[in-house]
Amino acid sequence: MDTQPGLPMFDLPLLEETPIARADATRNRARILAAAERLFAARGAACVSMDEVAEAAGVGKGTLFRRFGSRAALALALLSEHESCFQESFIRGEPPLGPGACPTDRMSAFGEARLDLLDEHAEVLAAAEVGPARFSSPPYAVHRLHLTLLLREADPDCDAEYIAEVLLASLGSDVFMYLREGRGLSLEQLKSGWRQLVQRVVPAAAVS
Amino acid sequence: MDTQPGLPMFDLPLLEETPIARADATRNRARILAAAERLFAARGAACVSMDEVAEAAGVGKGTLFRRFGSRAALALALLSEHESCFQESFIRGEPPLGPGACPTDRMSAFGEARLDLLDEHAEVLAAAEVGPARFSSPPYAVHRLHLTLLLREADPDCDAEYIAEVLLASLGSDVFMYLREGRGLSLEQLKSGWRQLVQRVVPAAAVS
DNA sequence: CACACAACCGGACCACGGTCCGTTTAGTAC
DNA sequence: GTACTAAACGGACCGTGGTCCGGTTGTGTG
């Protein structure tokens, strides 16, 4: 379902699955997601093996990996609802996150919202953003495009592509967990740091 | 030659090994390092397993892991010479990398030097900086402290701790490999992006 | 030189993520 | 209902990083 006609859009490609035909396939998919969610919530994503997920779902290991391809992809699927919601907010939502506010404010709001997401799902996100696959995930591409456009709008002279990547790197789940747990920073401190960073990277912001 | 009088002076703890007593231990350590270096250079670090390293070194797997603890630590040890040299350069070397230049220029030079290091040893660095251990390695601590001091010197009002972490995240091996191979950026483009980033993060730079 | 003990050695072993392939089954056409 | 096929199933299997522990060996002491 399209949300709004007329908007150009990057119709969030997000994570479309191949159209599943057979009934047992969809059923098993649902079982796996349910089992994974339960186990991850109960014991922490890092302490749950794929074998356990398969067994809890009453499904063979082969089935699990055929449906999701990898542990990271399973975690990504688990987060798809939250991620969709996040994307909806900064693409078509209310200001300052959505359109209407000035680019700088939107970037600040973007980071704060992402930090909230991290705060709530840090473990699952960490499982999803492991390895180089992190940079080729659909959510990453959407976030990158979003930041790039905002940066270009805020300051046409800046190297928007590069700066977008740098900013996103600082919002990665690995950095987040390290700063929270390793350095003992609070969520508020991170948000404050992010706001300051945005203010400094996009100077002045003399934008209509 | 300390960088500046009165500064506490972080005598680069770098990577000190436990004082090795027995002869066979040091001999095996050397064998392992030599074998690893050879194999990594020949086939790429990512395509060499620890079993192979052990066999090539003529040593049991247990010995390999007792000496180095993990694959990441082995990679780190392999890089220790280059890393020492790098640290020497920005702590006691010539300007603009070493003391004498203004903080902004030193930060620019720091990133460029780190990018050169990445360009030359990307694969081994990627093996060393895997997982959360990346943030607890001695080199990371030194780099962080260095950037924090420079930032504080350049602008006492900024959140130096946080910004240092963000800047370092953008110089991680994962981000580097992604930007080079995934996005096709050249080394020069990365250096240029870094310089611009530094200029923007530390505004004006009205420093004595 | 003999002794004793701590340190070291090596390879069997483990858990994990991921793959393979022979078997089963849902859907369809008659 | 029967027959057929493509798709899905599941668990044995693999390579990997990392651990364990019984046996060995270098080294300080008498």
Side-chain angles (χ1 to χ4, degrees):
Chain A
M1 46 183 39
D2 272 349
T3 52
Q4 235 139 46
L7 280 188
M9 56 338 6
F10 16 167
D11 269 69
L12 49 173
L14 202 39
L15 359 101
E16 73 281 330
E17 318 287 341
T18 58
I20 289 171
R22 276 173 58 160
D24 49 353
T26 57
R27 187 198 57 202
N28 282 335
R29 189 186 141 82
R31 278 189 189 171
I32 291 169
L33 283 174
E37 186 149 36
R38 213 180 57 231
L39 285 179
F40 283 13
R43 309 215 314 265
C47 299
V48 176
S49 72
M50 292 299 269
D51 299 73
E52 288 175 299
V53 172
E55 187 181 347
V59 145
K61 204 178 179 180
T63 302
L64 173 49
F65 276 92
R66 167 125 29 77
R67 279 282 88 78
F68 294 96
S70 73
R71 184 182 167 83
L74 171 61
L76 210 58
L78 240 7
L79 291 167
S80 103
E81 201 160 342
H82 303 288
E83 175 65 25
S84 299
C85 180
F86 176 41
Q87 292 186 14
E88 193 66 24
S89 298
F90 67 70
I91 292 177
R92 287 180 272 268
E94 303 280 298
L97 197 50
C102 79
T104 310
D105 289 346
R106 290 189 71 187
M107 290 173 57
S108 287
F110 173 85
E112 294 184 41
R114 163 80 182 175
L115 286 168
D116 282 330
L117 201 71
L118 278 164
D119 190 53
E120 198 160 3
H121 306 106
E123 283 202 325
V124 186
L125 269 165
E129 295 177 353
V130 71
R134 166 186 167 189
F135 300 108
S136 35
S137 72
Y140 187 87
V142 173
H143 299 170
R144 193 187 45 185
L145 180 54
H146 183 62
L147 275 189
T148 304
L149 294 177
L150 287 179
L151 280 165
R152 196 132 49 198
E153 188 184 347
D155 178 357
D157 293 337
C158 79
D159 185 348
E161 277 86 5
Y162 179 80
I163 295 182
E165 306 278 10
V166 170
L167 291 179
L168 279 183
S170 78
L171 294 177
S173 56
D174 50 354
V175 172
F176 176 82
M177 292 189 79
Y178 158 63
L179 292 177
R180 291 278 332 240
E181 290 163 24
R183 314 268 343 154
L185 299 182
S186 71
L187 181 59
E188 267 319 312
Q189 285 176 297
L190 292 182
K191 287 186 180 180
S192 156
W194 168 264
R195 284 192 300 265
Q196 180 190 162
L197 182 64
V198 168
Q199 290 293 338
R200 285 170 175 266
V201 163
V202 182
V207 156
S208 67
Chain B
M1 44 311 285
D2 268 348
T3 57
Q4 244 119 20
L7 282 187
M9 140 146 297
F10 29 117
D11 269 298
L12 57 172
L14 203 40
L15 357 101
E16 74 281 330
E17 317 290 341
T18 57
I20 290 170
R22 279 174 56 162
D24 48 353
T26 58
R27 187 199 57 202
N28 282 335
R29 188 186 143 83
R31 278 189 190 173
I32 290 170
L33 283 174
E37 185 148 37
R38 213 180 57 233
L39 286 179
F40 282 13
R43 310 215 315 265
C47 300
V48 176
S49 72
M50 294 299 269
D51 298 74
E52 288 175 299
V53 173
E55 187 180 348
V59 144
K61 204 178 179 181
T63 303
L64 172 50
F65 276 91
R66 169 125 32 70
R67 277 285 86 78
F68 294 95
S70 73
R71 183 181 168 84
L74 170 60
L76 209 59
L78 241 7
L79 291 166
S80 103
E81 201 159 341
H82 304 287
E83 176 64 25
S84 300
C85 180
F86 176 42
Q87 292 187 14
E88 194 65 25
S89 300
F90 67 70
I91 292 178
R92 286 181 272 267
E94 302 280 298
L97 198 50
C102 79
T104 310
D105 289 346
R106 290 189 72 187
M107 289 174 57
S108 287
F110 173 85
E112 294 185 40
R114 163 79 183 177
L115 286 168
D116 282 330
L117 201 71
L118 279 164
D119 190 54
E120 198 161 3
H121 308 289
E123 284 201 325
V124 186
L125 268 165
E129 296 177 352
V130 72
R134 165 185 169 191
F135 300 109
S136 36
S137 73
Y140 187 86
V142 174
H143 300 170
R144 189 180 39 143
L145 181 54
H146 183 61
L147 276 189
T148 303
L149 294 177
L150 287 179
L151 279 165
R152 194 134 47 199
E153 189 183 346
D155 179 358
D157 293 335
C158 78
D159 185 348
E161 278 86 4
Y162 178 81
I163 294 181
E165 306 278 10
V166 170
L167 291 178
L168 279 183
S170 79
L171 295 176
S173 56
D174 51 353
V175 172
F176 176 82
M177 294 189 79
Y178 158 63
L179 291 177
R180 294 266 350 228
E181 291 163 23
R183 314 263 350 150
L185 299 183
S186 71
L187 182 59
E188 267 318 313
Q189 285 176 297
L190 292 182
K191 287 186 181 180
S192 156
W194 168 264
R195 285 192 299 267
Q196 182 190 162
L197 183 64
V198 168
Q199 291 294 338
R200 284 170 175 266
V201 163
V202 182
V207 157
S208 67

